Each structure stands twice: as structure tokens, then as C-alpha cells.
Amino acid sequence: MKKKFSGFPPGMGFSALPNIFYSAILPYITDLNELKLTLYLFKELLPKRGHLRYVSLGELRGNISLRKSLTGEIPFETALADALAIAVERGVLLELAATRDGAAEKLYFLNDEPGRRAIEKLKSGELEPGGLKAAQPPVETTEPADIFRLYEDNIGMLNPIIADQLKQAERDFPTTWIKEAIEEAVLNRKTSWRYIVRILERWSQEGKSGTNRRDSAQETGTGKYFAGKYGHMVRR
């Protein structure tokens, strides 16, 4: 029996879709994996800011939830490659082959004005893809803990680095603290792992009672968050 969805959590985040998706894209999608991939990419790419709003093939390969979604009779790598090819052919995505530090990687942009402009500048050499890394090795598909699902529902897509940091946080803090810290971050509209870590560090140092709804922005500027166990994460 498949696990039943436990319901939407309080204070959850939302991911918008362009209105044109419902009229010009959705009616023509017949492949389930293409639909799943397209929804993931809208969620990942639309909130990004700056000149380079892309997701790399390595990031897609390493995403835990995407690996769980693109399951079926064919291997994940094949399902992902096929779904990407269909989305590129349909014109929803733009694909660019890039190289940095000797590592070849494919980058995927939305086929919107910022995406088209970024690819033109990358091809001309005016811009370079910062932070490009070689493809991550496949990760084992395991049932996410509640905090993993809560993070994806409210903060963003999981990747191997964030997943490891969540596991470490689960070892060092009560699970209820992590859940409430995520909820506080959402309420304060500061949905980043760095902000969540600051909340956990503050609760650990000052005590949690009566603090779980205070705006942690009032605490910024102090150095104590950088001295704790998670200081290396906060600086990111």
C-alpha cells in the first residue's frame, strides 16, 4: 500500500506557475516524466535572481525528490535524459553545454527573455557560469524524513549538500526544533537554510522557550552565529 499524504503543513510556501503554462504547454504534454520534470524546473528556476538562472544536469541527477519522481520501468538516468530532450524540443527549456575547470556540464534555462539573453552572453563570453561543478554521483533513493519533505515544501529543492546538512542538524537538534525553525523562517519570509541555522543556534545558546516566533532578523549583525557548530554553513 502506498504511503498516504499526511496533509499540508501550516505556514507552507507556494510555487507559482506562468499562466501560459496551462494553455500553451500542459494540454500538449503526454509524457508523465516530462510533466514532473517541467514542474520541478519551474519551481527551481522561477524564484532565482541574477543574470544566470539555470540548473545543471548534475544538480538534477543529485536531487533526491526528482529521483523518486522519475521512477518506472526505465532507469532514472534514461528517464531524466528523455524528459529533458522532450522539454528542450518543445521549447520550454534551453540547453547549453558548458565547461569549467575541465568539467563538462549541461545547463538548462527557461526559454524566457532572461534565459535567452543569458545564453547569448555565455556563448559570446560576456558571462561565465559561476559555481559550475562536475555532475554529482547518483544518490541512494530513500524515503525522506518529515523534515526533508517540510524543507522541500517550504524552502526549495533538496540537493546532496543540503540533505547532509539536514541529517547533521537532525543529529544535533530535536526534530521539533528543526520543523519549527523552518516554519519561523517561512513566517518571516526568509526562506534559506542559513537563516534556519541561525534560529537553531540561537535556541541552542539562549534557550528555546518563548523565542520560536521572534524575528531572527533582529539578531543579525552579531558574531555569535559564526562561532557555533554551524558557523561554516551560516557564512555561505
Coordinates of all heavy atoms in Angstrom, one line a residue, residues 37 40-41 44-45 48 52-63 66 76-77 80 84 93-100 103-110 122 129-137 157-161:
L37 N 9.2 16.7 -14.6 CA 10.4 17.5 -14.7 C 10.1 19.0 -14.9 O 10.7 19.8 -14.3 CB 11.2 16.9 -15.9 CG 12.5 17.7 -16.2 CD1 13.5 17.6 -15.1 CD2 13.1 17.3 -17.5
Y40 N 9.1 20.6 -11.7 CA 10.3 20.8 -10.8 C 11.1 22.0 -11.3 O 11.6 22.8 -10.5 CB 11.2 19.5 -10.8 CG 10.9 18.6 -9.7 CD1 10.1 17.4 -9.9 CD2 11.3 18.8 -8.4 CE1 9.9 16.5 -8.9 CE2 11.0 18.0 -7.4 CZ 10.3 16.8 -7.6 OH 10.0 16.0 -6.6
L41 N 11.3 22.1 -12.6 CA 12.2 23.2 -13.1 C 11.5 24.5 -12.9 O 12.2 25.5 -12.7 CB 12.5 22.9 -14.6 CG 13.5 21.7 -14.7 CD1 13.7 21.4 -16.2 CD2 14.8 22.1 -14.1
E44 N 12.2 25.5 -9.4 CA 13.6 25.7 -9.1 C 14.1 27.0 -9.8 O 14.8 27.8 -9.2 CB 14.5 24.6 -9.6 CG 16.0 24.8 -9.4 CD 16.4 24.8 -8.0 OE1 15.6 24.4 -7.1 OE2 17.6 25.1 -7.7
L45 N 13.6 27.3 -11.0 CA 14.2 28.4 -11.8 C 13.5 29.7 -11.6 O 14.1 30.8 -11.6 CB 14.2 28.0 -13.3 CG 15.2 26.8 -13.6 CD1 15.0 26.4 -15.1 CD2 16.6 27.2 -13.4
K48 N 14.7 32.2 -8.9 CA 16.1 32.6 -9.0 C 16.3 34.1 -9.5 O 15.4 34.6 -10.3 CB 17.0 31.7 -9.9 CG 17.2 30.3 -9.3 CD 18.2 29.5 -10.0 CE 18.5 28.2 -9.3 NZ 19.6 27.5 -9.9
L52 N 22.3 34.7 -14.4 CA 22.4 33.3 -14.7 C 21.4 32.5 -13.8 O 21.7 32.1 -12.7 CB 23.8 32.8 -14.4 CG 24.9 33.3 -15.4 CD1 26.3 32.8 -15.0 CD2 24.6 33.0 -16.8
R53 N 20.2 32.2 -14.4 CA 19.2 31.4 -13.7 C 19.1 30.1 -14.4 O 18.4 29.9 -15.4 CB 17.9 32.2 -13.8 CG 17.9 33.5 -13.0 CD 16.9 34.5 -13.4 NE 15.6 33.9 -13.7 CZ 14.6 34.6 -14.1 NH1 14.7 35.9 -14.4 NH2 13.4 34.1 -14.4
Y54 N 19.9 29.2 -14.0 CA 19.9 27.9 -14.6 C 20.0 26.8 -13.6 O 20.3 27.0 -12.4 CB 21.2 27.8 -15.6 CG 22.5 27.7 -14.9 CD1 23.0 26.6 -14.3 CD2 23.2 28.9 -14.7 CE1 24.3 26.6 -13.7 CE2 24.5 28.9 -14.1 CZ 25.0 27.7 -13.6 OH 26.2 27.7 -12.9
V55 N 19.8 25.5 -14.0 CA 20.1 24.4 -13.2 C 20.9 23.4 -14.0 O 20.7 23.3 -15.3 CB 18.7 23.7 -12.8 CG1 18.0 23.2 -14.0 CG2 19.0 22.5 -11.8
S56 N 21.9 22.8 -13.4 CA 22.8 22.0 -14.1 C 22.3 20.5 -14.2 O 21.5 20.1 -13.3 CB 24.2 22.0 -13.5 OG 24.2 21.3 -12.3
L57 N 22.8 19.8 -15.1 CA 22.5 18.3 -15.2 C 22.9 17.6 -13.9 O 22.2 16.7 -13.4 CB 23.1 17.7 -16.4 CG 22.8 16.2 -16.6 CD1 21.3 16.0 -16.8 CD2 23.6 15.7 -17.9
G58 N 24.0 18.0 -13.3 CA 24.5 17.4 -12.1 C 23.5 17.6 -11.0 O 23.3 16.7 -10.1
E59 N 23.0 18.8 -10.9 CA 22.0 19.1 -9.8 C 20.8 18.3 -10.0 O 20.2 17.8 -9.0 CB 21.7 20.6 -9.8 CG 22.8 21.5 -9.4 CD 22.6 23.0 -9.6 OE1 22.0 23.3 -10.7 OE2 22.9 23.8 -8.8
L60 N 20.3 18.1 -11.2 CA 19.1 17.3 -11.4 C 19.4 15.9 -11.1 O 18.5 15.2 -10.5 CB 18.7 17.4 -12.9 CG 18.2 18.8 -13.3 CD1 17.9 18.8 -14.8 CD2 16.9 19.2 -12.6
R61 N 20.5 15.4 -11.4 CA 20.9 14.0 -11.1 C 21.0 13.8 -9.6 O 20.7 12.7 -9.1 CB 22.2 13.6 -11.8 CG 22.1 13.4 -13.3 CD 23.5 13.2 -13.8 NE 23.5 12.8 -15.2 CZ 24.5 12.8 -16.0 NH1 25.7 13.2 -15.6 NH2 24.4 12.3 -17.3
G62 N 21.4 14.8 -8.9 CA 21.6 14.6 -7.4 C 20.4 14.9 -6.6 O 20.4 14.8 -5.4
N63 N 19.3 15.4 -7.2 CA 18.1 15.8 -6.5 C 17.3 14.5 -6.0 O 16.9 13.7 -6.9 CB 17.2 16.7 -7.3 CG 16.0 17.2 -6.5 OD1 14.9 16.5 -6.5 ND2 16.2 18.3 -5.8
L66 N 13.5 14.4 -7.2 CA 13.3 14.1 -8.6 C 13.6 12.7 -8.9 O 13.0 12.1 -9.8 CB 14.3 15.1 -9.4 CG 14.1 15.1 -10.9 CD1 12.7 15.5 -11.3 CD2 15.1 16.0 -11.5
F76 N 16.5 5.7 -13.9 CA 16.4 7.2 -13.7 C 17.1 8.0 -14.7 O 16.6 9.0 -15.3 CB 16.8 7.5 -12.3 CG 17.0 9.0 -12.1 CD1 15.9 9.8 -11.9 CD2 18.3 9.6 -12.1 CE1 16.0 11.2 -11.8 CE2 18.4 10.9 -11.9 CZ 17.3 11.7 -11.7
E77 N 18.4 7.6 -15.0 CA 19.2 8.4 -15.9 C 18.5 8.5 -17.3 O 18.6 9.5 -18.0 CB 20.6 7.8 -16.0 CG 21.4 7.9 -14.8 CD 22.0 9.3 -14.5 OE1 21.9 10.1 -15.5 OE2 22.4 9.6 -13.4
L80 N 15.4 10.7 -17.1 CA 15.8 12.1 -17.0 C 16.2 12.6 -18.4 O 15.8 13.7 -18.8 CB 16.9 12.3 -16.0 CG 17.4 13.7 -15.8 CD1 16.3 14.7 -15.4 CD2 18.6 13.7 -14.8
L84 N 14.2 15.6 -20.4 CA 14.9 16.8 -20.8 C 14.9 17.0 -22.3 O 14.7 18.2 -22.8 CB 16.4 16.7 -20.3 CG 16.6 16.9 -18.8 CD1 18.0 16.6 -18.4 CD2 16.3 18.4 -18.4
L93 N 12.5 24.5 -22.4 CA 13.9 24.7 -21.8 C 14.9 25.0 -23.0 O 14.6 24.6 -24.1 CB 14.3 23.4 -21.2 CG 13.6 22.9 -19.9 CD1 14.2 21.6 -19.4 CD2 13.6 24.0 -18.8
L94 N 15.9 25.7 -22.6 CA 17.1 25.9 -23.4 C 18.3 25.2 -22.8 O 18.5 25.3 -21.6 CB 17.4 27.4 -23.5 CG 16.3 28.3 -24.1 CD1 16.6 29.7 -24.0 CD2 16.0 27.9 -25.6
E95 N 19.0 24.4 -23.7 CA 20.1 23.6 -23.2 C 21.4 24.3 -23.7 O 21.5 24.7 -24.8 CB 20.0 22.2 -23.7 CG 21.1 21.3 -23.3 CD 21.0 19.9 -23.9 OE1 21.4 19.7 -25.1 OE2 20.5 19.0 -23.2
L96 N 22.4 24.3 -22.8 CA 23.7 24.8 -23.2 C 24.8 23.9 -22.6 O 24.8 23.6 -21.4 CB 23.9 26.3 -22.6 CG 25.3 26.9 -22.9 CD1 25.4 27.2 -24.4 CD2 25.4 28.2 -22.1
A97 N 25.7 23.5 -23.4 CA 26.9 22.7 -23.0 C 28.0 23.7 -22.5 O 28.4 24.6 -23.3 CB 27.4 21.8 -24.1
A98 N 28.4 23.5 -21.3 CA 29.5 24.4 -20.7 C 30.6 23.6 -20.2 O 30.5 22.4 -19.9 CB 28.8 25.3 -19.7
T99 N 31.7 24.3 -20.0 CA 32.9 23.7 -19.4 C 33.6 24.6 -18.4 O 33.7 25.8 -18.7 CB 33.9 23.3 -20.5 OG1 33.3 22.4 -21.4 CG2 35.1 22.5 -19.9
R100 N 34.0 24.1 -17.3 CA 34.7 24.9 -16.3 C 35.6 24.0 -15.5 O 35.2 22.9 -15.1 CB 33.7 25.6 -15.4 CG 34.5 26.5 -14.3 CD 33.5 27.3 -13.5 NE 34.2 28.1 -12.5 CZ 33.7 29.0 -11.8 NH1 32.5 29.3 -11.9 NH2 34.4 29.6 -10.9
A103 N 35.7 20.4 -16.4 CA 34.5 19.6 -16.3 C 33.4 20.0 -17.2 O 33.0 21.2 -17.2 CB 34.0 19.7 -14.8
A104 N 32.9 19.1 -18.0 CA 31.9 19.4 -19.0 C 30.5 19.2 -18.3 O 30.3 18.3 -17.5 CB 31.9 18.5 -20.2
E105 N 29.6 20.1 -18.5 CA 28.3 20.0 -17.9 C 27.3 20.7 -18.8 O 27.5 21.6 -19.5 CB 28.3 20.8 -16.5 CG 27.0 20.7 -15.7 CD 26.7 19.3 -15.2 OE1 26.4 18.4 -16.1 OE2 26.8 19.1 -14.0
K106 N 26.0 20.2 -18.7 CA 24.9 20.8 -19.5 C 24.1 21.6 -18.5 O 23.9 21.2 -17.4 CB 24.0 19.7 -20.0 CG 24.7 18.9 -21.2 CD 23.7 17.9 -21.8 CE 24.4 17.2 -23.0 NZ 23.4 16.1 -23.5
L107 N 23.8 22.8 -19.0 CA 23.0 23.8 -18.2 C 21.6 23.9 -18.9 O 21.5 23.9 -20.1 CB 23.7 25.1 -18.1 CG 25.2 25.1 -17.7 CD1 25.7 26.6 -17.7 CD2 25.4 24.4 -16.4
Y108 N 20.6 24.1 -18.0 CA 19.2 24.2 -18.5 C 18.6 25.6 -18.0 O 18.6 25.8 -16.8 CB 18.4 23.0 -18.1 CG 18.9 21.8 -18.8 CD1 19.8 20.9 -18.2 CD2 18.4 21.4 -20.1 CE1 20.2 19.8 -18.8 CE2 18.9 20.3 -20.7 CZ 19.8 19.5 -20.1 OH 20.3 18.3 -20.7
F109 N 18.1 26.3 -19.0 CA 17.5 27.6 -18.7 C 16.0 27.6 -19.1 O 15.7 26.8 -20.1 CB 18.2 28.8 -19.5 CG 19.6 29.0 -19.1 CD1 20.6 28.1 -19.6 CD2 20.0 30.0 -18.4 CE1 21.9 28.3 -19.3 CE2 21.4 30.2 -18.1 CZ 22.3 29.4 -18.6
L110 N 15.2 28.4 -18.5 CA 13.8 28.5 -19.1 C 13.9 29.3 -20.4 O 14.7 30.2 -20.5 CB 12.9 29.3 -18.1 CG 12.4 28.5 -16.9 CD1 11.5 29.4 -16.0 CD2 11.6 27.3 -17.3
L122 N 26.6 34.0 -22.5 CA 27.5 32.9 -22.3 C 28.2 32.5 -23.5 O 29.4 32.2 -23.5 CB 26.7 31.7 -21.7 CG 26.3 31.9 -20.2 CD1 25.3 30.8 -19.9 CD2 27.5 31.8 -19.3
P129 N 29.6 30.8 -16.4 CA 28.7 30.1 -15.4 C 29.4 29.9 -14.1 O 30.2 29.0 -13.9 CB 28.3 28.8 -16.1 CG 29.5 28.5 -17.0 CD 30.0 29.9 -17.5
G130 N 29.1 30.7 -13.2 CA 29.8 30.6 -11.9 C 29.2 29.4 -11.1 O 28.1 29.0 -11.2
G131 N 30.1 28.8 -10.3 CA 29.7 27.7 -9.5 C 29.5 26.4 -10.2 O 28.9 25.5 -9.6
L132 N 29.9 26.3 -11.4 CA 29.6 25.1 -12.2 C 30.5 24.0 -11.6 O 31.7 24.1 -11.5 CB 29.9 25.3 -13.7 CG 29.7 24.0 -14.6 CD1 28.3 23.5 -14.5 CD2 30.1 24.4 -16.0
K133 N 30.0 22.8 -11.4 CA 30.7 21.7 -10.9 C 30.4 20.4 -11.7 O 29.4 20.4 -12.5 CB 30.3 21.4 -9.4 CG 30.7 22.5 -8.5 CD 30.3 22.1 -7.1 CE 30.7 23.3 -6.1 NZ 30.3 22.9 -4.7
A134 N 31.3 19.5 -11.6 CA 31.0 18.2 -12.4 C 29.8 17.6 -11.8 O 29.4 17.8 -10.7 CB 32.2 17.3 -12.2
A135 N 29.2 16.7 -12.6 CA 27.9 16.0 -12.2 C 28.1 15.3 -10.9 O 29.2 14.6 -10.7 CB 27.5 15.1 -13.3
Q136 N 27.2 15.4 -10.0 CA 27.3 14.7 -8.7 C 27.0 13.2 -9.0 O 26.2 12.8 -9.8 CB 26.2 15.2 -7.8 CG 26.5 16.7 -7.4 CD 27.7 16.8 -6.5 OE1 28.1 15.9 -5.8 NE2 28.4 18.0 -6.7
P137 N 27.6 12.3 -8.2 CA 27.3 10.9 -8.3 C 25.8 10.6 -7.9 O 25.3 11.4 -7.0 CB 28.3 10.2 -7.4 CG 28.6 11.3 -6.4 CD 28.6 12.6 -7.2
M157 N 14.3 22.9 -3.4 CA 14.7 21.6 -3.8 C 15.9 21.1 -3.0 O 16.8 21.9 -2.7 CB 15.0 21.5 -5.3 CG 13.9 21.8 -6.2 SD 14.3 21.8 -8.0 CE 14.7 20.0 -8.2
L158 N 15.8 19.8 -2.6 CA 17.0 19.2 -1.9 C 18.1 18.9 -2.9 O 17.8 18.6 -4.0 CB 16.5 18.0 -1.2 CG 15.8 18.1 0.1 CD1 15.3 16.7 0.6 CD2 16.7 18.7 1.2
N159 N 19.3 19.0 -2.4 CA 20.4 18.5 -3.1 C 21.3 17.8 -2.1 O 21.0 17.8 -0.9 CB 21.2 19.6 -3.8 CG 21.7 20.7 -2.9 OD1 22.3 20.4 -1.9 ND2 21.4 22.0 -3.1
P160 N 22.3 17.0 -2.6 CA 23.1 16.2 -1.6 C 23.7 17.0 -0.5 O 23.8 16.5 0.7 CB 24.2 15.6 -2.5 CG 23.5 15.5 -3.8 CD 22.7 16.7 -4.0
I161 N 24.1 18.2 -0.7 CA 24.8 19.0 0.3 C 23.7 19.4 1.4 O 24.0 19.3 2.6 CB 25.4 20.3 -0.3 CG1 26.6 19.9 -1.2 CG2 25.9 21.2 0.8 CD1 27.2 21.1 -1.9

